[in-house]
Every structure is written in C-alpha cells, then in structure tokens.
Amino acid sequence: MAHFIPHNLRIILKQKTIYSCQQCGMQSPKWLGKCSDCGQWNSLVEETVTVAKKGGRTVPLRSESSPVRLSEVSATDEDRLHCGIAEFDRVLGGGVVPGSFTLIGGDPGIGKSTLLLQAAGSWARIGPVLYATAEESTRQVKLRAGRLDVVAEDLYLLAETSLEGILERVKELKPAFLVIDSIQTVFTAALESAPGSVSQVRECAGRLMHLAKGEDIPTFIVGHVTKDGSIAGPRMLEHMVDTVLYFEGDAGHPYRILRAVKNRFGSTNEIGVFEMKDIGLSEVPNPSELFLAERPEDAAGSVVVPSIEGTRPILVEIQALVSGTAHGNPRRTAMGIDSNRVSLLVAVLEKKVGYSLLAQDIFVNVAGGVRISEPAVDLGVVAALASSHLNRPVDERTVLFGEVGLTGEVRAVSRPEMRVNEAARLGFNCCLLPAGNLKSLDQPEGMKLIGVSSAAEALEFLFN
Ligand code: TYD
Ligand code: MG
C-alpha cells in the first residue's frame, strides 16, 4: 500500500527512525530484544530512513518513463563488453552488459580481489577502470598487480572507504567500469551504523546500483560470505543486483570455480574454472582433464560421471568408501554432493539391490573440490558405493550417468549427447545411461552405449 503513490498525490519526504535486524533485515518501529522474523537475540539496530508522507506542499510527482514498443528497444548481445578472460565472460552470459550490477561473493582469501584485478587490467583496454579498494592500500594492490603482470595505463586505484568519496571520484573520472572491493568495508556518512552492518551494506549497494543504472557504468562489488554461507548483510543484496557470482573452491586445492547463481543476462549455474598459481589465476579451458588427472587406476570405489554444469559438460570423479563401522553409529559423510541425496541412494541400495550397509561407515567425495548438484550423478554414486562395498573396480574406461528414483529405477536426464561426446573425447569407450535416453542418441565412434532401466541392472552389468 505504502509503496504505491498515485500521481495526483503530493508528497513530502520525512526522516524517520526505525529498528532493523542486522541478521535478516526485518524492520520494526520499536526496539525488540528478539527479532520476530528470524529469532535472533539482540540484533535490532536503530537506523534513520527517509519516508514519503501524504499531504503537504511539495512538487507533484510525475513519471519520467513512458511505454516503448518491444521492437523499438535497442539492445543486442553485441553491446556486451569482453574482458578477455573467457571463463569470466562466459559465466556472465557472454561478456559484461553495460550498466549491469554484479556481486562477487566468496570466502575471504579465495581470490576475489585477484580475479577482479586481473579482469580490471583487461577492461582497462576498453576504457578507464576505477578500482576502489576499501580493504587494501594502493601499494598493496600495486604489489599484487606486479605479480599478476597487470600493466594498464587506464586502471585507476582509489583507496577510499567513504561511499560519498567514491561517488565523487566516479563523477570526475567517468570510468567505463567500476569495482568496489568490498561492499562490507565502504560506508556512507548518512547512517550511523558501522560499516558492514545490514543497513550500511544495503544503503551503499542501493546507491551504487543507482549510479550503475543511471550512468550506465558496469559495476562489480565484492562481498564476503559469512560462515553460514550467505553473503554478509544477508540475502537482500542478492535480489538487488543483476548478477550474483560465487567464487568457490577448497583452500587445499588450487582450483577455483566461478559460479553464476543468479543472472539477469544469461544462464545460471554456468561455471568458469580457474587455477590459482603464484602468478595469479589462470583459466582452465578443459576442466575434465584437470579433474581426472589424479584418478587412481583400477581402484574400487572410483567412477567417472559426465556432469553438466551450465552449458558445459564436465567429467568428474566420484569416490566412495564403504567400510565396517567401529562404533554403534555408522557415519555417513558426503563432500561435494548433497548428503541427503547420498542417504537416499544408500537406502535404495539396501532395499532394491539387497546390499547390507547398515553397519557400514559410508564416505562419498567428489574429487578435486568440485560441487555437483544435478541428479544425473546418482547412478555414478550408486556404482561407486557398490564398487567399494564389493571391493571390485569399475572398468576405468567406463562412465555412467542417470537419475535414480526411490524404486531403484533409472530415469532419463537432460542433454545425454553432450555427456556422451565429452566422455568419448577423453577416451572413454563405454557409457551406461538411462534406457530412456538411449533412443534419441547416435552411437559415437569408439563408444559403446548401454541403456539401463534400473540401478540393479546397471550393477549387474558392471560387476558380473
Ligand atoms: P585474494 O584475491 O586476496 O582473496 P579475496 O579477495 O577473496 O579475499 O586472494 C588471496 C589468496 O590468493 C592468498 O591466500 C594468496 C593467493 N594468491 C596466489 O596464490 N597467487 C597470486 O598470484 C595471488 C595474487 C594470490
Ligand atoms: Mg580481497
């Protein structure tokens, strides 16, 4: 109700004090000890907001936009700006869209600043780039740039934590790209709360978005992720921005994955794969080869699955270890894959295939620190579990995919030909796949396709 202001109404703007939860963003007119939305104690902080009030003696509102025919709107994919880092461009949906507002989230130390500095170096060939560093000094950034071999005449560094200061410099410099590293360390003087608080993050992001849209400056903001996995200054940032990219990876592995979780200009779940080296991030154009590089030969419990991430097939190794438990409570641990899914597949193996796994510790891991979320890997998990349980390796040139249902049936999945072709390209010669997918496929050269309709049938083929 309050959001809709009819044209004939006059409004005045008024400063008002509200209390806002620093955890979930809930707003209340009164202070509360416990947030009524998320239940967090002591999380409400006073904030001033500007509200519109009915009546008064100010200017009548007039809308500035008018309807345009869809066919008359000028926007093509050719407007996109390419940074020259192909993996980055692809995750964005094929380059940077003018005026787009992108959030890059990730754990501290994962490489967000490194990635953006490298990208900024390339963008500087298109036009001036302003890199506002609120966390590090220009000297620190310069040292890093030296290591990364970033030399760009048109890359401007600005060590500034005040949002107003940054906005002023943007007005002077009129950059073609703007990077804010990070949104949690910039603050606006309009609010009294500390930098990094929900209200500061929201206000700063809101004003930066206004700038990005108004001046058509593509803007990238870095956001650190809190321990519970949400971007600090919670989810409200995610729905404000056009694109949310997560930079993820395991501290123990050199691989980093840039994943689009929201994209108004392209497909989500597109990934870009990088390797962190001592000269910065380098692209990995053939991730399948990388993820299979250390695959053990003839080992029970290891299988290869062609998974699709975004638009690209990637072969990953799934490992399982099934071993007798020493204590009463068997352990079920899954890494890189949903543990509920694994529990379900273990139950299917128990009930539909007849394995006895109740007194077994079960570990499942996706090698290389990758995270897989599509159900097409189910059959691979089942085969890895069975292989470890029976202590019999799966033929090392066999791959398999398919979704496994609760009755043990194997269901068809999307884009089977892409998966099969990627496996064939890397020298695999046999593929078990859902019978329902087999009909629509041409047999690639040197690859045997075996359609299966149940998990039991697949295991029968692999181990008998
Ligand atoms: P950084 O980009 O500072 O992370 P974030 O901005 O996400 O906090 O990355 C820091 C890590 O990356 C640091 O632990 C060292 C590593 N690193 C390299 O291995 N090679 C390099 O060339 C650079 C610049 C960083
Ligand atoms: Mg950083």
Side-chain angles (χ1 to χ4, degrees):
M1 299 166 295
H3 305 294
F4 180 72
I5 302 167
H7 272 183
N8 54 1
L9 264 191
R10 289 155 181 267
I11 58 156
I12 53 170
L13 297 176
K14 189 186 154 213
Q15 287 277 336
K16 194 181 121 183
T17 310
I18 56 153
Y19 294 85
S20 154
C21 173
Q22 302 296 289
Q23 176 93 2
C24 70
M26 192 277 295
Q27 296 182 342
S28 156
K30 281 190 316 210
W31 188 82
L32 303 168
K34 183 182 177 188
C35 172
S36 57
D37 240 18
C38 68
Q40 180 76 15
W41 284 96
N42 231 345
S43 63
L44 267 66
V45 166
E46 182 180 11
E47 283 169 12
T48 56
V49 289
T50 310
V51 290
K53 206 159 186 273
K54 277 194 224 162
R57 194 183 46 79
T58 40
V59 279
L61 284 179
R62 204 185 311 128
S63 169
E64 284 181 359
S65 48
S66 48
V68 191
R69 282 208 177 86
L70 177 63
S71 57
E72 286 164 11
V73 179
S74 71
T76 60
D77 255 4
E78 278 144 40
D79 296 341
R80 288 184 186 256
L81 308 161
H82 299 273
C83 73
I85 304 178
E87 297 284 305
F88 194 8
D89 282 341
R90 207 196 38 256
V91 176
L92 288 170
V96 182
V97 173
S100 60
F101 194 54
T102 305
L103 171 69
I104 300 198
D107 290 323
I110 204 74
K112 301 178 294 297
S113 305
T114 309
L115 177 69
L116 281 173
L117 188 59
Q118 285 180 254
S122 307
W123 292 328
R125 280 186 235 129
I126 301 172
V129 180
L130 183 61
Y131 189 111
T133 161
E135 279 180 5
E136 293 164 301
S137 67
T138 47
R139 224 182 106 76
Q140 277 172 299
V141 179
K142 164 79 192 187
L143 284 174
R144 176 180 306 172
R147 197 136 52 91
L148 303 177
D149 212 13
V150 171
V151 271
E153 201 44 45
D154 260 352
L155 174 55
Y156 295 85
L157 301 179
L158 173 67
E160 176 68 90
T161 51
S162 148
L163 180 74
E164 284 75 16
I166 295 172
L167 295 181
E168 199 154 300
R169 298 291 169 245
V170 171
K171 274 199 203 107
E172 285 168 20
L173 186 68
K174 299 205 181 354
F177 295 87
L178 175 63
V179 178
I180 308 288
D181 188 359
S182 66
I183 191 68
Q184 276 112 347
T185 42
V186 296
F187 72 97
T188 164
L191 292 172
E192 280 182 13
S193 41
S197 64
V198 172
S199 47
Q200 280 284 359
V201 168
R202 181 171 44 203
E203 178 71 17
C204 292
R207 291 188 40 200
L208 286 165
M209 181 167 67
H210 202 76
L211 178 83
K213 303 288 167 202
E215 309 283 320
D216 233 13
I217 303 173
T219 301
F220 292 78
I221 59 177
V222 171
H224 294 292
V225 164
T226 53
K227 287 205 186 65
D228 62 6
S230 64
I231 286 182
R235 294 192 193 95
M236 88 262 167
L237 264 191
E238 292 199 10
H239 65 247
M240 282 171 79
V241 303
D242 296 319
T243 304
V244 180
L245 307 180
Y246 272 99
F247 205 34
E248 42 190 61
D250 198 271
H253 290 283
Y255 319 127
R256 299 283 180 270
I257 292 175
L258 187 66
R259 192 188 289 275
V261 294
K262 165 183 176 179
N263 195 349
R264 288 189 181 142
F265 310 115
S267 126
T268 52
N269 278 329
E270 190 69 83
I271 68 167
V273 183
F274 296 89
E275 190 176 352
M276 181 64 96
K277 300 189 178 153
D278 43 354
I279 49 156
L281 292 158
S282 67
E283 296 178 66
V284 178
N286 276 315
S288 298
E289 283 162 29
L290 184 94
F291 292 138
L292 297 183
E294 289 165 275
R295 190 176 172 222
E297 277 172 27
D298 254 352
S302 153
V303 301
V304 176
V305 174
S307 168
I308 303 259
E309 289 291 325
T311 55
R312 183 161 64 163
I314 294 183
L315 295 189
V316 289
E317 181 194 347
I318 295 187
Q319 300 182 327
L321 184 63
V322 177
S323 81
T325 183
H327 309 287
N329 257 346
R331 295 186 59 175
R332 301 278 187 264
T333 305
M335 281 160 292
I337 189 163
D338 179 26
S339 57
N340 289 328
R341 198 84 206 155
V342 172
S343 302
L344 185 152
L345 296 171
V346 170
V348 168
L349 274 176
E350 284 261 351
K351 187 93 180 171
K352 300 294 166 186
V353 186
Y355 289 4
S356 167
L357 301 171
L358 275 184
Q360 307 284 330
D361 282 340
I362 292 178
F363 306 91
V364 175
N365 180 32
V366 182
V370 205
R371 261 206 82 81
I372 302 287
S373 51
E374 60 156 8
V377 301
D378 288 356
L379 194 58
V381 174
V382 165
L385 288 167
S387 163
S388 176
H389 181 63
L390 303 170
N391 209 12
R392 301 202 23 207
V394 171
D395 181 80
E396 60 177 13
R397 291 175 73 191
T398 296
V399 293
L400 62 173
F401 63 87
E403 179 179 349
V404 176
L406 286 184
T407 67
E409 84 278 18
V410 174
R411 296 165 165 260
V413 300
S414 63
R415 285 177 279 181
E417 66 291 337
M418 229 181 195
R419 302 174 197 266
V420 169
N421 291 339
E422 175 74 357
R425 190 178 72 79
L426 283 161
F428 289 85
N429 62 10
C430 178
C431 179
L432 265 72
L433 71 168
N437 278 137
L438 192 60
K439 291 179 241 105
S440 60
L441 282 184
D442 295 331
Q443 189 111 4
E445 208 174 311
M447 171 72 92
K448 197 162 69 175
L449 299 180
I450 316 271
V452 292
S453 42
S454 72
E457 193 185 331
L459 299 182
E460 175 77 23
F461 176 85
L462 289 173
F463 303 113
N464 283 316

